[in-house]
């Protein structure tokens, strides 16, 4: 759900501009989804997170991703590859006092407003393309990508760049929706939801989780773990219709026009819910790996 640093391979300039414009205009609307500007789905744990309080689950997703980075007590450089408004960075800086957090996005709006939210904290958001950053090799101890690499179609270049900028022994964690089978094998309903999801959320495509594992192994990552957390994520996805209804009513009561980008974002959220119902075709996974020494 976050604006990301991307270069598309098909109609690249058109798609890149469309995606950046989309998030420059629609990012501020995410306050209806999360008070902390978490631009992703949540993670539900019985008796720990409240299924009726969305931010509780959204921040738990941040915690689950950060936990898999195995952050120790030594100084740690963390990069969020597609940071949105920096919510995950702010959550990390609150949990760990020994980290320096960097976020990258192509959205000027997110750079400006995200850095305002990071004022006084040990973090910064930069305008960078996560397929081709300006960081030196072996810079970071940790890298995360929460619902961001989907905007580049889970491109191999983004995985390769994560490997390049991570130090040996560095950890990489991805949390995202993936296909369980090739898109050509989706049922009619699955294909329809998938096509609409990609269209309204400015996604090039989704890859299979098997493809990601294969490419991570080829790059030299080890300790690769692929976790299907679809049922943990489902309670937050079920908030979508209620959040959409509340957002539209708020706009109407305040006599505010619904921007085209906002309309696309809302429709994308609805098709994310529909896609999630096709459990044989789609799943939500947390994939973690270590760069070999």
């Amino acid at each position: 759900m976050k604006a990301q640093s991307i270069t598309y391979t098909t109609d690249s300039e058109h798609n890149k501009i469309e995606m950046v414009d989309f998030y420059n205009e629609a990012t501020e609307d995410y306050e209806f989804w999360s008070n902390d500007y978490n631009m992703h789905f949540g993670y539900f744990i019985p008796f720990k997170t409240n299924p009726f309080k969305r931010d509780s689950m959204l921040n738990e997703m941040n915690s689950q991703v950060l936990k898999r980075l195995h952050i120790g007590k030594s100084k740690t450089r963390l990069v969020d590859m597609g940071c949105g408004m920096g919510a995950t960075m702010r959550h990390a800086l609150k949990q760990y006092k020994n980290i320096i957090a960097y976020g990258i996005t192509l959205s000027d709006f997110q750079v400006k407003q995200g850095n305002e939210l990071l004022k006084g904290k040990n973090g910064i958001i930069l305008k960078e393309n996560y397929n081709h950053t300006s960081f030196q090799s072996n810079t970071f101890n940790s890298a995360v990508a929460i619902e961001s690499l989907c905007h580049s179609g889970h491109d191999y270049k983004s995985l390769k760049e994560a490997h390049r900028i991570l130090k040996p022994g560095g950890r990489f964690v991805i949390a995202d929706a993936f296909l369980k089978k090739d898109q050509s094998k989706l049922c009619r309903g699955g294909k329809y939801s998938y096509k609409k999801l990609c269209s309204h959320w400015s996604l090039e495509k989704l890859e299979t989780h098997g493809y990601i594992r294969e490419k991570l192994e080829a790059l030299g990552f080890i300790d690769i773990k692929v976790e299907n957390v679809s049922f943990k994520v489902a309670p937050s996805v079920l908030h979508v219709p209620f959040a959409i209804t509340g957002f539209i009513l708020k706009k109407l009561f305040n006599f505010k026009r619904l921007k085209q980008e906002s309309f696309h974002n809302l429709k994308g959220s609805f098709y994310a819910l529909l896609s999630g119902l096709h459990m044989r075709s789609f799943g939500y996974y947390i994939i973690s790996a270590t760069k070999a020494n």
Side-chain angles (χ1 to χ4, degrees):
M1 294 171 73
K2 297 189 292 188
Q4 315 315 334
S5 309
I6 318 166
T7 299
Y8 288 120
T9 55
T10 305
D11 294 328
S12 58
E13 285 309 305
H14 171 74
N15 288 328
K16 177 179 173 183
I17 292 169
E18 180 185 82
M19 182 280 302
V20 174
D21 287 346
F22 173 80
Y23 279 105
N24 279 336
E25 292 296 324
T27 293
E28 61 184 335
D29 294 339
Y30 273 94
E31 192 173 12
F32 88 90
W33 178 253
S34 167
N35 293 326
D36 296 327
Y37 282 102
N38 281 297
M39 298 169 70
H40 54 75
F41 289 116
Y43 192 101
F44 173 68
I45 300 177
F47 308 112
K48 181 180 181 182
T49 51
N50 188 333
F52 300 104
K53 292 186 177 179
R54 195 160 52 246
D55 267 309
S56 171
M57 294 186 286
L58 304 183
N59 282 315
E60 184 60 35
M61 176 63 80
N62 290 328
S63 294
Q64 290 294 321
V65 168
L66 294 170
K67 182 175 74 172
R68 288 161 174 78
L69 292 174
H70 304 161
I71 296 174
K73 295 182 178 181
S74 58
K75 187 176 180 180
T76 298
R77 290 185 181 274
L78 165 70
V79 61
D80 188 336
M81 301 178 70
C83 63
M85 291 284 278
T88 302
M89 297 167 61
R90 296 194 303 276
H91 191 82
L93 290 165
K94 193 180 297 183
Q95 282 198 344
Y96 303 94
K97 305 303 180 184
N98 60 318
I99 71 169
I100 303 172
Y102 295 78
I104 53 180
T105 177
L106 282 180
S107 167
D108 290 317
F109 179 89
Q110 292 180 347
V111 170
K112 181 180 179 181
Q113 298 301 320
N115 279 321
E116 284 293 318
L117 294 171
L118 280 165
K119 270 188 176 178
K121 300 176 176 62
N122 206 11
I124 187 171
I125 296 175
L126 303 170
K127 187 175 181 179
E128 292 270 355
N129 184 320
Y130 64 38
N131 284 335
H132 309 284
T133 72
S134 62
F135 299 121
Q136 293 183 355
S137 298
N138 306 319
T139 295
F140 296 99
N141 308 93
S142 306
V144 299
I146 304 180
E147 295 178 29
S148 57
L149 302 188
C150 53
H151 287 277
S152 64
H154 298 130
D155 199 308
Y156 175 71
K157 291 192 291 292
S158 56
L159 304 179
K160 186 177 181 181
E161 184 66 2
H163 185 270
R164 184 186 72 81
I165 63 178
L166 276 172
K167 295 180 178 180
R171 293 280 292 169
F172 183 32
V173 180
I174 304 167
D176 215 337
F178 293 96
L179 296 177
K180 292 183 176 180
K181 60 182 78 172
D182 187 86
Q183 57 181 290
S184 64
K185 297 179 181 179
L186 300 179
C187 66
R188 182 178 298 179
K191 284 181 179 178
Y192 177 80
S193 298
Y194 173 67
K195 181 180 178 181
K196 292 293 186 180
L197 173 65
C198 291
S199 173
H200 290 293
W201 265 355
S202 193
L203 310 180
E204 186 178 353
K205 62 184 176 70
L206 298 180
E207 273 293 353
T208 65
H209 58 84
Y211 170 89
I212 301 299
R213 174 188 279 277
E214 176 187 321
K215 296 305 178 185
L216 291 175
E217 288 177 346
L219 284 166
F221 281 101
I222 58 174
D223 303 326
I224 300 169
K225 188 173 183 181
V226 179
E227 304 170 70
N228 187 342
V229 296
S230 300
F231 287 107
K232 300 288 187 180
V233 173
S236 67
V237 179
L238 292 175
H239 277 249
V240 165
F242 305 102
I244 290 175
T245 303
F247 178 77
I248 293 174
L249 289 175
K250 183 178 178 180
K251 288 286 186 180
L252 291 174
F253 287 148
N254 291 322
F255 301 100
K256 291 185 178 180
R257 181 179 63 87
L258 192 64
K259 293 181 291 188
Q260 183 180 9
E261 292 82 4
S262 300
F263 187 62
H264 275 292
N265 197 15
L266 295 173
K267 290 181 75 173
S269 300
F270 175 72
Y271 285 112
L273 173 59
L274 285 187
S275 297
L277 296 176
H278 291 83
M279 299 192 66
R280 292 185 178 182
S281 302
F282 302 89
Y284 197 104
Y285 294 80
I286 296 180
I287 302 175
S288 55
T290 303
K291 180 176 177 177
N293 290 308

